[in-house]
Amino acid sequence: MRSPTLENRLGGLCILIAAIATAGPIVPANGQANRQDVRHSGDPARLRPVQLREDDAERRFVDRLVPGSHVKVFIPSLPYIYISHAINGAMIKPSDNARGWEYDMATSHTQIDDTTYEFKLRRGVKFQDGTPFDADAVVRNMDAFKKAPTLYSKIDKVFDRCEKVDPFTVRFFLTEKYGCFMNDLIWMQFYSDDYLKIKGWNGKATCPNLSAPGPYGLGPYVLTEGYVEGDRQTPKAVLKANPYYWDTRYPKVETITVFTELDSRQAKDRVLETEGDLDIAFIPPEYKVDTILSPYAKLVTSPTTNNIAIHMNLINGNPKLLDVQVRRALNEALHQRNLWHFVFDREATLSPTQASPYFPGMNKVTQLIKPYSELQDPYQPAKRAQLKSLLDGLRLKVLTQNRYMDLWRGIETQLGYVGVQLDIEEVKSEKEIFDPLLTTNQDQNEVQWDLLIWGNDDWFFNHPFTAFLVYRTHNVWSTIFPDPVLDGYIEQMFQASVEDPQFDEITFRIVKHVYDQAYMLFVPTPNNVFAVNKEVGFKPYRMACYPLWKIQVTDQHWSVRRGPYPQSRKAPMKVTRIQFDAGESP
C-alpha cells in the first residue's frame, strides 16, 4: 500500500502534467484574479478542472495585536539571523526597499567625513525590561562590542569608538574609510545593562546575541524560551509581544514559535496536511502543486538575494581538489539548466558564481560571465569523455542538511556520469554544518569532509559580501587555501560603497577570480518558496530577515477560531508571487 506522501506526489504529478498540457502556467506571474485551471488529484483517468480561489485573507485582518494569536515558523538556515530584528534593535534594520535598510533606533544620520558618522536617536524608547534607551546606552553597548567584537567582516578592525554628543545624539569613529559600515551597523545591536553584565558580546564568528531568553532587547518581540546562535541553538524558541515596543502598530501576533531543527520533509507535511502544527516553512519547489492543493496552506514565492554555498575543502579535504583542473571539471560537469528545471522547478536563476545576480555590483558579472554548462554542454559525448578522464574514480564526502537532499540527488546523478562517487552525510540542523565549517580554516575540524553545503542567505542585506565572506581566505568562514590576490580584491571592496562607480568592477574581479579558480561548486541561485497557512499574512523579504512583527492572522486562524475550519476555506488557492518594488532589479 502506498504511503499518503507518495500518493500525494503521484496525484500532484498528474495535476502538473495536465496543467502544463491543457492550461499553461498554473497561475500568472502577476497574480491577477482570472480563472485558473488545475486538475483534481483523484483518478488520473478522470481529471476534472477546479477553480483556484483568490487569497482574501488581507481583507479580514484585524489591524491590531490579536489576543491569543500564535504563529509557528520553521527556519532551517541562519535562524539567528532571520529572527534577530524581531527581538533586537540597532541604529538601522533590514528593509525590502532598494537600499536594503531603514531607520530603527536612529531617526537620521550624517556622514561627517570618511571615518565619522553621527546619528540622531529615537526618543521615548525603552528596553524590554522597561529601562530607558538613550545615548548612554549606545556608548555602553559599543564599549562592550569593542571588547569582544564579532569576527565575520572587517568591522572588528575598523570600529574605533562611539561618543555621546547629547542625550539623543552619538558619533561613531572608524580607523579608516569603510564602505560597508552601514551594512555592518545593522548587526551592532543594543542590549539592556542586565544582558551586558550577564552575557555581553561574544566575540564569535557569528552574530547576533540571542544566547539567553529574557527582556534584554529593543525589538517588537521578547525571547522568552530557548536561545538561537550560529553555533548553538535549541530546537524551539518562543517569542512574546513586547509591551514596551516603541512602534504601537506592531506586533500583530501575540506569540511566535520558531523551530530550527525539523526534518524538512516533515515540516512540509506539518504545514500542508495538519492545522496548528506549523504555519510557515520553506519547502522544496517540487512540492508547489501539493501546496496549492493543500486544505490548510497556500504557496508564496519570490525572487531573493539568497545564495547556496557549496564549499570545497581546500584545507584538509581530498588532495585532488587542490588541482584547479579537477575543480573546474566538477563545475563543468554540472548541467545547471537541468538542475534549474528538475530540482528547482524553475524557481531559481542560473548563476556562474555563488553570489546572487540581484546584488548591487553584479551588472558586469551577469553580462560577461556565464555558467560553465551554458558555454559547453557537459552531456555532449566529447565533453563527457574529457571530464571523465579527469574525474573518473574521484570519491568525495558530502555534508548537507536534509533540506538540500533533492539538490544532491541531482548533483550525484550528474557527477556520476563522469565517474564521481559521493558519500553523502545528511544532518537535520545547521549547527551540525557550522561546527565543521568554522573549524576547517585552522585545520581543526574533527569531522572530515570534501564538499559542504549551507544556505548562505543574504545576511549583509543587499550587499555581495554575503557571498564573498567565504572567499576571504584568512577568515574562519573560508575553506579556500591562502590566496593573497583574492584577499586583496575583497579589501578593495571593503573600501567602496555599493554606490561607488567602481563597485561593479571590484565585484567583477572577485567573481572572475573565484570562477577561474573554481573555488566552490556553483549551482543556480534559489527563489524563496514557502508554504503558508491560508489564514496568515506573511510577506517575506528578499534577504535573510523574517519581518515577524508584520505577520497577521484572520479570525479563522487555528489559534483564535472557535469550531472547525470551514470547508469552503480549504479550496485550492492562487499562488502569491511577490515581486520586487518598482524601480528595483528583479
Side-chain angles (χ1 to χ4, degrees):
M1 181 177 179
R2 294 189 182 108
S3 68
T5 300
L6 179 56
E7 192 70 44
N8 289 344
R9 292 300 308 136
L10 291 176
L13 180 60
C14 292
I15 294 161
L16 185 59
I17 293 171
I20 293 173
T22 65
I26 293 177
V27 295
N30 61 14
Q32 296 301 310
N34 56 311
R35 179 181 174 85
Q36 306 296 328
D37 281 346
V38 295
R39 303 296 168 181
H40 184 67
S41 60
D43 181 354
R46 298 174 62 100
L47 296 175
R48 60 183 178 84
V50 296
Q51 185 172 1
L52 299 181
R53 72 177 180 88
E54 187 177 1
D55 185 0
D56 63 348
E58 187 172 357
R59 298 198 295 268
R60 296 181 295 109
F61 292 141
V62 179
D63 195 27
R64 56 176 171 77
L65 180 68
V66 179
S69 54
H70 187 176
V71 168
K72 300 179 181 181
V73 182
F74 171 48
I75 307 177
S77 290
L78 305 179
Y80 66 107
I81 296 283
Y82 271 94
I83 69 172
S84 174
H85 294 278
I87 299 167
N88 298 321
M91 290 296 186
I92 56 178
K93 64 184 177 183
S95 176
D96 217 22
N97 58 28
R99 67 185 177 185
W101 61 267
E102 61 188 72
Y103 289 111
D104 189 16
M105 293 301 102
T107 57
S108 65
H109 84 284
T110 303
Q111 184 173 351
I112 296 174
D113 54 40
D114 281 349
T115 61
T116 310
Y117 294 76
E118 182 173 286
F119 294 86
K120 298 293 184 182
L121 303 182
R122 194 175 299 280
R123 296 170 183 260
V125 175
K126 294 181 180 180
F127 284 96
Q128 292 165 351
D129 63 1
T131 57
F133 169 77
D134 53 19
D136 291 323
V138 173
V139 172
R140 287 194 296 272
N141 271 271
M142 297 319 301
D143 286 346
F145 174 85
K146 183 72 174 179
K147 293 175 183 176
T150 51
L151 304 173
Y152 57 87
S153 71
K154 199 180 176 184
I155 192 63
D156 59 306
K157 305 295 185 185
V158 302
F159 173 68
D160 183 21
R161 67 191 189 281
C162 177
E163 293 182 356
K164 173 182 175 181
V165 177
D166 63 41
F168 293 97
T169 307
V170 293
R171 285 184 183 173
F172 284 71
F173 297 88
L174 309 181
T175 60
E176 62 184 60
K177 182 181 179 181
Y178 185 62
C180 295
F181 178 65
M182 295 301 287
N183 299 86
D184 268 301
L185 197 66
I186 286 177
W187 295 118
M188 299 168 82
Q189 297 175 333
F190 307 124
Y191 307 95
S192 68
D193 286 348
D194 282 348
Y195 188 88
L196 294 179
K197 292 173 184 175
I198 298 169
K199 295 290 182 180
W201 280 84
N202 56 30
K204 293 182 180 181
T206 58
C207 73
N209 284 321
L210 297 171
S211 59
Y216 301 131
L218 290 160
Y221 283 101
V222 180
L223 180 64
T224 61
E225 179 184 332
Y227 54 84
V228 189
E229 294 185 285
D231 58 347
R232 57 187 288 273
Q233 63 195 26
T234 48
K236 180 178 75 172
V238 178
L239 286 61
K240 296 285 188 179
N242 172 17
Y244 295 111
Y245 189 53
W246 64 268
D247 190 340
T248 56
R249 298 174 298 168
Y250 304 112
K252 309 285 190 180
V253 173
E254 191 171 77
T255 303
I256 302 282
T257 295
V258 176
F259 296 96
T260 65
E261 298 183 6
L262 299 178
D263 178 278
S264 61
R265 298 176 193 87
Q266 292 175 356
K268 178 266 301 179
D269 291 341
R270 288 171 66 168
V271 183
L272 269 57
E273 299 176 12
T274 63
E275 193 185 26
D277 280 344
L278 201 60
D279 293 279
I280 302 170
F282 284 106
I283 61 166
E286 67 178 288
Y287 294 109
K288 290 193 300 183
V289 172
D290 304 66
T291 305
I292 292 170
L293 296 175
S294 165
Y296 304 111
K298 58 190 173 186
L299 182 67
V300 178
T301 70
S302 67
T304 75
T305 45
N306 292 337
N307 315 274
I308 294 176
I310 304 182
H311 290 250
M312 295 187 189
N313 185 351
L314 307 185
I315 306 298
N316 53 34
N318 190 313
K320 292 184 179 180
L321 294 177
L322 299 178
D323 185 343
V324 64
Q325 292 188 40
V326 170
R327 299 196 301 270
R328 284 186 64 93
L330 286 168
N331 274 290
E332 290 173 356
L334 293 188
H335 198 302
Q336 273 210 27
R337 192 166 293 275
N338 278 12
L339 293 176
W340 170 78
H341 183 83
F342 292 109
V343 174
F344 293 93
D345 198 14
R346 305 188 181 191
E347 294 290 350
T349 304
L350 301 186
S351 180
T353 179
Q354 194 227 152
S356 167
Y358 303 137
F359 279 132
M362 291 292 289
N363 290 330
K364 186 174 179 180
V365 170
T366 56
Q367 291 172 14
L368 298 181
I369 306 179
K370 303 299 179 186
Y372 297 100
S373 58
E374 292 295 288
L375 300 176
Q376 189 171 7
D377 185 349
Y379 291 173
Q380 290 178 351
K383 183 63 177 177
R384 180 174 290 183
Q386 179 214 346
L387 294 173
K388 195 166 185 178
S389 69
L390 286 166
L391 299 175
D392 195 24
L394 181 62
R395 187 167 186 162
L396 301 173
K397 180 179 179 181
V398 175
L399 290 184
T400 179
Q401 278 180 273
N402 57 31
R403 66 176 298 209
Y404 292 116
M405 282 306 298
D406 294 326
L407 174 58
W408 281 111
R409 280 193 288 268
I411 293 174
E412 185 176 38
T413 297
Q414 294 187 357
L415 293 182
Y417 293 148
V418 293
V420 178
Q421 181 176 336
L422 300 182
D423 298 324
I424 301 175
E425 181 177 340
E426 179 182 350
V427 301
K428 284 197 308 181
S429 169
E430 188 178 65
K431 69 183 180 183
E432 297 171 86
I433 296 294
F434 278 179
D435 180 66
L437 171 62
L438 296 177
T439 53
T440 296
N441 184 273
Q442 299 300 312
D443 195 18
Q444 295 176 349
N445 52 302
E446 296 180 359
V447 176
Q448 294 302 307
W449 61 275
D450 301 307
L451 300 174
L452 176 150
I453 187 172
W454 61 290
N456 187 8
D457 295 349
D458 180 13
W459 53 270
F460 216 50
F461 303 114
N462 216 32
H463 193 291
F465 184 62
T466 290
F468 298 166
L469 164 79
V470 301
Y471 301 159
R472 195 171 174 229
T473 64
H474 53 82
N475 188 288
V476 296
W477 288 94
S478 179
T479 60
I480 301 170
F481 47 67
D483 184 337
V485 173
L486 181 56
D487 290 336
Y489 288 155
I490 293 178
E491 285 299 309
Q492 293 176 27
M493 183 210 67
F494 280 141
Q495 295 292 319
S497 69
V498 294
E499 294 84 14
D500 192 307
Q502 294 301 308
F503 196 79
D504 274 21
E505 181 61 33
I506 295 170
T507 300
F508 178 80
R509 290 174 190 162
I510 294 171
V511 172
K512 184 67 163 56
H513 186 81
V514 173
Y515 177 88
D516 289 342
Q517 295 297 317
Y519 278 147
M520 301 185 76
L521 201 63
F522 305 126
V523 295
T525 298
N527 288 349
N528 276 330
V529 182
F530 293 98
V532 179
N533 183 280
K534 289 179 178 178
E535 306 304 322
V536 170
F538 170 64
K539 182 180 179 181
Y541 284 174
R542 67 182 184 272
M543 68 280 282
C545 176
Y546 275 4
L548 299 177
W549 57 95
K550 295 182 179 180
I551 291 177
Q552 294 180 273
V553 298
T554 75
D555 59 357
Q556 292 301 309
H557 187 254
W558 62 266
S559 65
V560 296
R561 185 187 71 238
R562 295 183 178 179
Y565 192 43
Q567 194 67 31
S568 61
R569 302 207 59 77
K570 296 181 180 181
M573 187 178 288
K574 292 178 181 178
V575 179
T576 300
R577 298 195 189 279
I578 296 171
Q579 303 296 333
F580 284 100
D581 293 339
E584 296 185 55
S585 299

